[in-house]
Amino acid sequence: MQKRNTLKLIAACAMLMGASSAFSQEVIKIANIVELSGGGASAGTNFKNGVELAVKEINAAGGVLGKKIQTITSDTQSNPGVAKGLTQKAVDDEVFAIFGPVFSGSIMVSMAESRKAEIPNFTGGEAASITMQGNPYIFRTSFTQATAMPKVARYMSEQAKLKNIAIIYVNNDFGKGGLDMIKKALATSSTKIAAEISTDAGQVDFSAAVLKAKQSNADGVFVYTNEEESARALRELRKQGWNKPIVGETTLTGQKVIELAGEAANGAVAHVGLTVDAPIPAVRAFRAKFEREYKYISDHNGMKGYSGIYTLKAAIEKVGKLDRKAVANAMHSLVVTTDKEPGILMNVAFDKNGDLDRESFLVEVKNGKQEVVATLPPLNPIAVNKPAAAPAAKPAAPAKK
């Protein structure tokens, strides 16, 4: 009798497990782990909103493989330790993919958890070291510094013709990675480095840093800090009468930076991987939809989150099934073109490391607005613009006997 009851209990448990598994497959669960407070609040909020806008569109169009996407959003507080804990929770929640964190220092800590669980993890972090560790489950939504910095170096050396520059950088994983890559890119150029000036994340007073840049007698300054610090650096540069070229990367001329820096942002030049001002119809359409939904203009982080979700959609549809490991494998050779998937915003190709390649832009802030002054080609135009692979074919029906 006791044995029969035990067998019934096991059978009941098996039925419940089956029911749970079937329920979990009703939606595609995605963890959106981002910086909603602390120093990364601006970047994380834009990224989150971009993700949610893409999910809203995809679900309205029927979902992915007929299944709706469900997002679970949590705040890292811009703290790598919190980001790691939230990633562990996402693993316990059996999500299909993780988006975020955006900050390089946080993803460097948290991605070990998603890797162990074999969960595809998309990040907005740009530190070159993120994808240099052989993690097959990490994918970028933006350029790595190893791709972006050679383009900046080429501008400073060949177009701006700066003989030497002072570099103001933030002393964290993001900033140190950028410093290493810009030094490497400039090593074979005619532009020399006059000074390397370290600053802290969240630093408020840039008077000493700017004074050091002036004392170096450099022809220009390269600023590589996070958004809010970039705005403070720009204001201080103008306050101290800096009238030489100010050059940077994406974080120097973002919409939030322009708002915070005001007129001090005018004249700043930057290489950007993504900008809502790009002369591309799909990008202009995204800008309009984002502004209509959230009542403000997205920065590049909103585009990262938005295009990242559409990248995941393309990878799932290429595989033809909800298999996290197969999707991660497909990502390492994924090419998506806007004629097949407009939500990707620009043609894009991923490599074996999870790094992406696509067009980028040189922008200048004029009259309080970011203006695109040049479109730069992908590093490998042939790979980026080749036709997208066809979705996985359905298994052939068994032959009738």
Side-chain angles (χ1 to χ4, degrees):
M1 183 66 180
Q2 184 178 4
K3 182 178 180 181
R4 188 160 56 232
N5 288 339
T6 302
L7 289 173
K8 287 181 178 178
L9 179 61
I10 293 173
C13 289
M15 291 177 65
L16 285 173
M17 290 176 65
S20 175
S21 176
F23 175 77
S24 68
Q25 294 176 3
E26 289 300 315
V27 296
I28 301 171
K29 289 198 294 187
I30 292 175
N32 201 5
I33 300 173
V34 288
E35 296 81 354
L36 300 179
S37 61
S42 175
T45 300
N46 273 279
F47 189 90
K48 176 195 78 76
N49 288 344
V51 165
E52 292 180 347
L53 179 59
V55 168
K56 182 179 178 180
E57 292 176 358
I58 291 170
N59 285 344
V64 183
L65 302 182
K67 299 183 184 300
K68 300 293 179 66
I69 300 175
Q70 179 187 76
T71 58
I72 306 165
T73 300
S74 48
D75 178 14
T76 70
Q77 302 170 38
S78 304
N79 182 319
V82 175
K84 181 178 181 180
L86 292 173
T87 303
Q88 290 169 329
K89 184 177 185 305
V91 171
D92 294 340
D93 289 341
E94 298 182 342
V95 299
F96 187 84
I98 296 172
F99 277 70
V102 179
F103 270 20
S104 297
S106 289
I107 188 64
M108 289 288 287
V109 172
S110 66
M111 68 179 182
E113 302 304 317
S114 53
R115 179 180 187 173
K116 281 190 293 186
E118 298 182 332
I119 297 176
N121 195 160
F122 294 76
T123 180
E126 299 180 5
S129 54
I130 294 172
T131 48
M132 296 173 70
Q133 301 181 26
N135 181 347
Y137 290 91
I138 191 72
F139 305 101
R140 292 188 192 274
T141 55
S142 62
F143 284 132
T144 167
Q145 294 160 334
T147 302
M149 292 305 175
K151 295 187 178 185
V152 185
R154 191 177 303 146
Y155 166 76
M156 290 192 291
S157 178
E158 298 178 9
Q159 288 184 248
K161 300 188 182 304
L162 302 180
K163 293 180 179 177
N164 52 47
I165 59 165
I167 300 175
I168 297 177
Y169 69 98
V170 58
N171 188 23
N172 59 17
D173 289 324
F174 165 72
K176 288 187 290 186
L179 175 66
D180 290 343
M181 288 300 152
I182 195 67
K183 288 169 65 177
K184 181 178 179 181
L186 287 172
T188 56
S189 77
S190 58
T191 301
K192 306 304 176 188
I193 298 172
E196 298 176 19
I197 304 165
S198 172
T199 63
D200 295 326
Q203 183 165 317
V204 176
D205 184 356
F206 276 79
S207 57
V210 170
L211 184 59
K212 289 179 182 176
K214 292 180 67 176
Q215 291 173 338
S216 73
N217 291 319
D219 288 341
V221 61
F222 178 72
V223 180
Y224 198 65
T225 57
N226 295 314
E227 280 86 350
E228 293 189 9
E229 293 95 310
S230 291
R232 294 167 189 149
L234 286 169
R235 287 200 301 265
E236 186 62 33
L237 282 161
R238 298 309 186 195
K239 180 181 177 182
Q240 294 196 29
W242 182 273
N243 57 7
K244 299 176 181 177
I246 303 173
V247 185
E249 235 286 318
T250 304
T251 53
L252 183 65
T253 57
Q255 187 62 35
K256 188 67 177 179
V257 178
I258 295 173
E259 291 173 8
L260 293 173
E263 292 186 359
N266 288 331
V269 174
H271 167 261
V272 299
L274 292 167
T275 170
V276 293
D277 296 312
I280 296 174
V283 173
R284 294 297 175 92
F286 162 80
R287 172 179 172 149
K289 289 185 291 188
F290 190 100
E291 188 171 7
R292 189 161 55 242
E293 185 77 14
Y294 301 110
K295 314 304 179 193
Y296 73 92
I297 298 173
S298 171
D299 73 357
H300 62 287
N301 289 297
M303 301 176 73
K304 290 180 187 177
Y306 182 87
S307 59
I309 289 291
Y310 276 101
T311 301
L312 175 64
K313 174 178 179 285
I316 292 173
E317 290 177 342
K318 180 180 180 182
V319 171
K321 58 184 177 180
L322 291 175
D323 182 324
R324 296 186 303 207
K325 195 167 186 177
V327 167
N329 287 337
M331 280 292 305
H332 290 113
S333 58
L334 187 70
V335 177
V336 192
T337 53
T338 53
D339 59 333
K340 302 291 184 183
E341 183 56 84
I344 207 73
L345 301 181
M346 291 186 289
N347 294 354
V348 63
F350 286 81
D351 67 12
K352 60 183 175 59
N353 298 320
D355 288 323
L356 62 79
D357 189 14
R358 60 188 169 202
E359 287 183 333
S360 58
F361 310 93
L362 195 66
V363 302
E364 180 176 351
V365 180
K366 297 180 180 179
N367 299 318
K369 295 182 180 179
Q370 189 183 80
E371 185 174 309
V372 175
V373 295
T375 300
L376 308 178
L379 290 180
N380 188 348
I382 296 176
V384 171
N385 295 316
K386 71 181 182 182
K394 295 181 179 178
K400 294 182 179 178
K401 294 181 179 178

